[in-house]
Amino acid sequence: METVKIGADVFFVLMGAIMVLAMHAGFAFLEVGTVRRKNQVNALVKIIVDFAVSTVAYFFVGYMVAYGVSFLAPASVISGASGDLFAKSGFDLVKFFFLLTFAAAIPAIISGGIAERARFFPQLIATAILTGLVYPFFEGIVWNGNFGLQAWIEESFGAGFHDFAGSIVVHGVGGWLALGAVVMLGARMGRYKKDGSVIGIPPSNIPFLALGSWILCVGWFGFNVMSAQSVEGVTGLVAVNSLMAMIGGILTAVVVGKNDPGFIHNGALAGLVAVCAGSDVMHPIGALVTGGLAGALFVWGFEKCQNKWKIDDVLGVWPLHGMCGLLGGLACGVFGLEALGGMGGVTFMAQLVGSLIGIAFATISGFVVYGVLAKTIGIRLDQEEEFRGADLSIHHIGAYPEEDLTQGR
């Protein structure tokens, strides 16, 4: 029976890893549908190469930073076939795979914010730094109890900082890191006039944008539900809460976003971002409200970001992941309370302090990493390259090569 249980857990976590891996296709197509046609190839290439770099950085450095585990041992040891350092049947290996897909979401999130004007190889360097050092540092603090911060929060505020599936650890950190990257890059050419007026740049392909959102929505049930990391710990509450939050985000985005398809499809994602932290402790009605608030927050944040604050965040990843991630961290401390039908075991102050520490860490790290890269090797395409588009300037082929050939590009 023990062997069967271990095997079931290995298979369960492996399926979760595969579902979250599939989400990266969602990130890719969400970006492909949003950017202009001359930058579509770059969006696809960035996501898949970022994942490859993330895997190497997290395997050799990041996982050890977060959990103190190194896989630099014989295969018989790390698979659990011999010795007792690693779990049987390679469970620690599939756990690494699962958590790697979370780590790789960080550069995938940032990719959407810096689209259409970022240089390729400097971004890969940033990816290696973020997934090898920056993200795992905070991941280990929250999910492994490193440096005693969780113990201090629990002692001070009556409960530890609760982030079941990463509203703050993954999405909040990714979104606030992206803010630094976007600000350091500056706006796209022609985005804002000298008088401050905004020049609209429409999405290139609404069906691709919608496809990206759908892929992410489906994969998110692996992201959230399988964060239990064992068959014994899985609960349908997480699945239904994820569903209700997604629906809440869609419905409010329809109203607040005035039927805009971009807002509607991102509203679903906003709800899912916000429910990650408390999906295992909220009542479904609390999850619905959380998702609804997140959908409205995304629309408000995107419009303020683009039109008032003049922050050219192409896909709105700071409002979507950063702002809605922060909302999710706080909402867990409200709708997770027993008084509001939740499971309990959380406090609002613990959630507030943990969330603010997370976004402060990510914001500072984003400005430092991208600021240093900007000052040393440069992170932005030159004007001619940006005008031609990242596809031809970096990859020497467009999304529609026959058109490029007939038009002499």
Side-chain angles (χ1 to χ4, degrees):
M1 290 302 297
E2 182 66 21
T3 301
V4 171
K5 179 183 180 301
I6 293 173
D9 288 344
V10 169
F11 185 75
F12 177 76
V13 176
L14 175 60
M15 290 301 100
I18 292 171
M19 289 183 71
V20 185
L21 171 62
M23 289 177 69
H24 287 74
F27 283 120
F29 277 95
L30 191 70
E31 185 173 336
V32 167
T34 305
V35 299
R36 288 169 285 188
R37 284 161 62 103
K38 63 183 180 180
N39 296 298
Q40 290 180 328
V41 170
N42 181 243
L44 293 169
V45 173
K46 272 191 304 177
I47 298 297
I48 197 167
V49 179
D50 272 339
F51 189 88
V53 172
S54 297
T55 300
V56 173
Y58 196 68
F59 181 85
F60 286 103
V61 181
Y63 198 72
M64 184 167 57
V65 170
Y67 301 102
V69 175
S70 171
F71 295 113
L72 300 181
S76 61
V77 174
I78 63 176
S79 67
S82 64
D84 56 2
L85 293 177
F86 291 85
K88 302 295 183 184
S89 301
F91 178 79
D92 288 304
L93 293 172
V94 294
K95 180 181 177 181
F96 155 78
F97 184 10
F98 182 65
L99 293 173
L100 157 69
T101 59
F102 282 50
I106 299 297
I109 290 168
I110 295 170
S111 176
I114 63 176
E116 301 201 317
R117 76 272 201 205
R119 292 177 61 201
F120 185 60
F121 286 105
Q123 172 56 22
L124 296 184
I125 294 172
T127 292
I129 295 170
L130 296 177
T131 56
L133 296 172
V134 175
Y135 166 77
F137 180 82
F138 188 70
E139 176 191 15
I141 287 175
V142 176
W143 286 342
N144 198 46
N146 295 353
F147 305 109
L149 183 62
Q150 281 283 35
W152 172 77
I153 291 176
E154 183 174 1
E155 182 180 349
S156 301
F157 306 108
F161 173 57
H162 188 88
D163 193 1
F164 180 69
S167 284
I168 296 295
V169 174
V170 180
H171 300 287
V173 167
W176 289 86
L177 282 169
L179 174 63
V182 170
V183 171
M184 297 308 301
L185 267 175
R188 288 169 288 177
M189 290 171 51
R191 184 70 171 104
Y192 303 110
K193 294 182 179 180
K194 292 183 178 179
D195 63 2
S197 58
V198 181
I199 299 175
I201 301 178
S204 62
N205 192 307
I206 296 298
F208 276 168
L209 185 157
L211 175 63
S213 175
W214 271 107
I215 294 172
L216 284 165
C217 286
V218 172
W220 222 296
F221 287 87
F223 195 99
N224 282 4
V225 175
M226 292 170 174
S227 285
Q229 297 185 28
S230 71
V231 174
E232 184 180 3
V234 70
T235 168
L237 180 65
V238 177
V240 172
N241 282 343
S242 300
L243 174 67
M244 297 299 280
M246 180 182 78
I247 298 308
I250 293 170
L251 294 177
T252 55
V254 169
V255 177
V256 180
K258 301 176 181 178
N259 301 325
D260 183 287
F263 285 143
I264 292 168
H265 285 91
N266 277 286
L269 307 182
L272 287 163
V273 165
V275 81
C276 285
S279 56
D280 64 326
V281 295
M282 292 181 180
H283 188 279
I285 296 175
L288 179 67
V289 174
T290 298
L293 292 172
L297 176 62
F298 170 72
V299 176
W300 176 85
F302 185 87
E303 291 183 334
K304 289 292 184 182
C305 187
Q306 298 287 342
N307 300 327
K308 185 175 180 61
W309 302 328
K310 304 297 190 296
I311 299 173
D312 191 16
D313 179 349
V314 180
L315 268 67
V317 297
W318 177 42
L320 178 62
H321 298 275
M323 294 182 186
C324 294
L326 175 59
L327 170 66
L330 301 180
C332 176
V334 176
F335 295 109
L337 298 173
E338 290 186 53
L340 293 177
M343 299 287 287
V346 295
T347 68
F348 179 75
M349 283 304 300
Q351 294 305 116
L352 174 64
V353 171
S355 297
L356 292 179
I357 290 173
I359 66 169
F361 169 74
T363 303
I364 294 170
S365 298
F367 277 96
V368 169
V369 170
Y370 283 95
V372 170
L373 290 173
K375 293 293 185 181
T376 52
I377 61 176
I379 58 176
R380 181 162 180 158
L381 297 173
D382 63 36
Q383 288 189 350
E384 182 179 349
E385 291 171 331
E386 186 177 341
F387 179 77
R388 291 179 67 210
D391 292 359
L392 296 179
S393 297
I394 297 173
H395 309 291
H396 311 297
I397 191 169
Y400 309 91
E402 288 183 313
E403 290 185 14
D404 294 338
L405 184 64
T406 57
Q407 296 179 23
R409 291 200 289 262

